[in-house]
């Protein structure tokens, strides 16, 4: 039975409690409670269940003092429920009921302003961290003895070599899907042969680098954040500083350089895999021979390949910096590691897509 409150007017107004006054019905009861009304009697004969949530609601409605006066004479109230109500009333005595929040447009505007200010602070932190990292790199370049070749090779294997299968498989499937969609639309105009150009242009300019960057944003940026965050939680970063070692030089630069090297190579592999997926569809479904497919691809200007590869170092720089920065911002708990890992993935993907859109508009206006 749902929870109800019935007010009976008369010479002695009576409040009848019906149903289950429990936590699952708290919201329903809170909406239906009338304004504070003088009550002379309390009838709980129809009350089936009562817990602390229901008792607290009664205290907020009647007041702790008035409820304490009504409980001894309440009808149908068992000793256990009487004791519960008295305990809750005593605990809440002297407390003002919390104000009911009223949502106003100014509150939404304040939240929007707070989010924009937080985004601006995050952008400034990223620029500052980028400057610190580039200055450390510039200071390290004339000192080959301090280059971390082992760490660089290990990170290159983790970021690049281990990511080749997933990048190649995903772009192959996307290339096949693009070819299917292009053929479906272009067949209506008798221009199925232009499916080859659609696949080649889309993967050379956009899909190759974009899909690779998104994959590495989810795979590598999260790994960077989790690794550095775990080191911070375990106080390993403090131990490095105590030994006079720079965490940026030791941990950030190998990851950054590894991603700068491997992302363009993975982008090239993604381009080849995507066009291979398009070639498979063209060969099996569109009656376009492999020689014809390759001949059309060879006519695509080289500048489209350079446009796609030119975006890769910028994406690699931002993904590595965001992943490492979020790792350094981790607090002292496992929950903080998870939150900043999620944040690094979201930020990396957002920045990659945003910059790709801006670059596409700029290049289109420039005629490149």
């Amino acid at each position: 039975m749902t929870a109800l409150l019935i007010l009976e007017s008369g010479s002695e107004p009576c409040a009848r409690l019906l149903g289950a006054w429990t936590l699952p019905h708290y919201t329903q009861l809170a909406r239906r409670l009338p304004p504070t009304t003088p009550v002379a009697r309390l009838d709980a004969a129809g009350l089936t269940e009562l817990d602390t949530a229901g008792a607290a609601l009664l205290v907020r409605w009647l007041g702790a003092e008035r409820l304490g006066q009504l409980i001894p004479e309440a009808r149908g109230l068992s000793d256990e429920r009487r004791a519960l109500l008295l305990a809750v009333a005593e605990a809440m005595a002297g407390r003002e009921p919390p104000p009911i929040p009223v949502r106003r447009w100014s509150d939404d505007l304040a939240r929007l302003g707070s989010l924009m200010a937080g985004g601006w602070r995050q952008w400034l932190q990223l620029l500052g961290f980028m400057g610190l990292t580039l200055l450390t790199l510039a200071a390290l370049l004339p000192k080959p003895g301090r280059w971390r070749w082992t760490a660089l090779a290990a990170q290159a294997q983790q970021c690049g070599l281990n990511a080749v299968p997933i990048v190649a498989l995903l772009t192959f499937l996307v290339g096949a899907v693009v070819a299917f969609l292009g053929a479906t639309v272009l067949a209506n105009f008798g221009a199925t042969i232009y499916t080859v150009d659609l696949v080649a242009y889309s993967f050379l300019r956009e899909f190759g680098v974009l899909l690779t960057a998104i994959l590495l944003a989810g795979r590598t940026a999260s790994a960077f954040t989790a690794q550095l965050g775990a080191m911070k939680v375990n106080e390993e970063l403090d131990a490095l500083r105590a030994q006079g070692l720079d965490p940026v030089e030791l941990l950030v630069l190998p990851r950054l350089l590894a991603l700068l090297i491997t992302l363009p190579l993975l982008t090239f592999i993604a381009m080849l895999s995507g066009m291979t997926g398009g070639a498979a569809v063209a060969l099996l479904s569109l009656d376009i021979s492999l020689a014809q497919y390759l001949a059309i691809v060879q006519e695509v200007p080289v500048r489209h390949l350079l446009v796609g590869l030119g975006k890769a170092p910028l994406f690699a720089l931002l993904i590595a910096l965001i992943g490492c920065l979020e790792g350094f911002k981790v607090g002292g708990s496992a929950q903080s590691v998870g939150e900043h890992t999620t944040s690094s993935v979201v930020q990396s993907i957002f920045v990659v897509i945003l910059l790709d859109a801006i670059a596409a508009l700029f290049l289109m206006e420039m005629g490149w």
Side-chain angles (χ1 to χ4, degrees):
M1 180 179 180
T2 56
L4 294 173
L5 172 67
I6 299 177
L7 282 175
E8 296 178 349
S9 58
S11 59
E12 293 185 346
C14 176
R16 294 179 58 198
L17 307 180
L18 302 175
W21 282 60
T22 54
L23 183 59
H25 303 96
Y26 184 89
T27 305
Q28 170 196 353
L29 281 167
R31 286 201 214 101
R32 294 184 178 181
L33 278 181
T36 304
T37 307
V39 174
R41 292 186 298 112
L42 191 64
D43 185 354
L47 186 65
T48 59
E49 295 180 64
L50 178 68
D51 63 6
T52 53
L57 198 59
L58 273 176
V59 174
R60 290 194 181 100
W61 180 55
L62 294 173
E65 183 179 354
R66 184 55 184 159
L67 182 61
Q69 296 170 358
L70 294 174
I71 287 174
E73 303 297 330
R75 176 174 172 267
L77 199 60
S78 66
D79 293 338
E80 294 83 0
R81 291 172 183 171
R82 196 185 308 271
L84 175 62
L85 287 172
L86 286 173
V88 174
E90 182 181 353
M92 297 180 65
R95 296 185 185 178
E96 291 293 330
I100 300 175
V102 179
R103 188 170 182 178
R104 296 169 295 184
W105 66 270
S106 57
D107 297 333
D108 296 333
L109 190 61
R111 279 190 65 192
L112 178 61
S114 177
L115 290 174
M116 293 183 65
W120 177 247
R121 287 193 298 269
Q122 180 70 25
W123 177 246
L124 291 180
Q125 287 177 354
L126 179 60
L127 289 180
F129 187 66
M130 181 186 300
L132 174 63
T133 304
L134 294 180
L135 283 175
T136 305
L137 177 62
L140 198 64
L141 284 178
K143 304 173 183 177
R146 294 176 59 183
W147 295 355
R148 307 285 175 175
W149 294 107
T150 303
L152 176 62
Q155 293 297 330
Q157 178 182 3
Q158 181 182 355
C159 301
L161 186 61
N162 294 345
V164 169
I166 184 64
V167 170
L169 177 62
L170 179 68
T171 50
F172 177 87
L173 296 176
V174 173
V177 170
V178 171
F180 270 122
L181 292 176
T184 302
V185 175
L186 294 173
N188 298 327
F189 305 96
T192 308
I193 191 66
Y194 289 104
T195 302
V196 181
D197 296 273
L198 173 64
V199 173
Y201 278 86
S202 62
F203 271 88
L204 289 177
R205 291 186 67 94
E206 299 294 337
F207 284 165
V209 64
L210 185 61
L211 291 174
T212 305
I214 290 175
L215 276 173
L216 290 188
R219 183 181 182 277
T220 304
S222 60
F224 289 173
T225 304
Q227 291 164 2
L228 297 181
M231 294 180 70
K232 186 172 184 182
V233 170
N234 295 331
E235 300 182 352
E236 296 177 38
L237 297 182
D238 295 333
L240 290 176
R241 294 189 181 98
Q243 297 176 48
L245 299 174
D246 184 4
V248 175
E249 175 186 332
L250 192 67
L251 302 174
V252 176
L253 288 183
R255 288 169 169 81
L256 173 62
L257 295 176
L259 208 57
L260 284 172
I261 294 170
T262 57
L263 186 55
L265 297 176
L266 288 173
T267 298
F268 186 70
I269 293 173
M271 293 173 179
L272 295 180
S273 298
M275 289 189 289
T276 302
V281 173
L283 185 63
L284 299 175
S285 302
L286 306 180
D287 295 329
I288 299 175
S289 66
L290 183 59
Q292 190 177 7
Y293 186 93
L294 293 176
I296 297 173
V297 169
Q298 287 176 0
E299 296 176 0
V300 177
V302 179
R303 72 171 184 273
H304 300 298
L305 172 67
L306 299 179
V307 165
L309 291 177
K311 300 176 188 177
L314 178 60
F315 291 166
L317 175 69
L318 292 172
I319 290 171
L321 290 178
I322 290 173
C324 294
L325 175 60
E326 290 298 314
F328 285 129
K329 289 164 63 178
V330 167
S333 65
Q335 180 182 357
S336 180
V337 175
E339 290 173 353
H340 285 283
T341 300
T342 303
S343 177
S344 70
V345 174
V346 172
Q347 289 182 48
S348 301
I349 293 176
F350 174 78
V351 168
V352 163
I353 295 176
L354 177 64
L355 287 182
D356 186 73
I358 294 174
L361 293 174
F362 174 76
L363 295 173
M364 180 179 66
E365 291 296 327
M366 296 298 293
W368 295 349

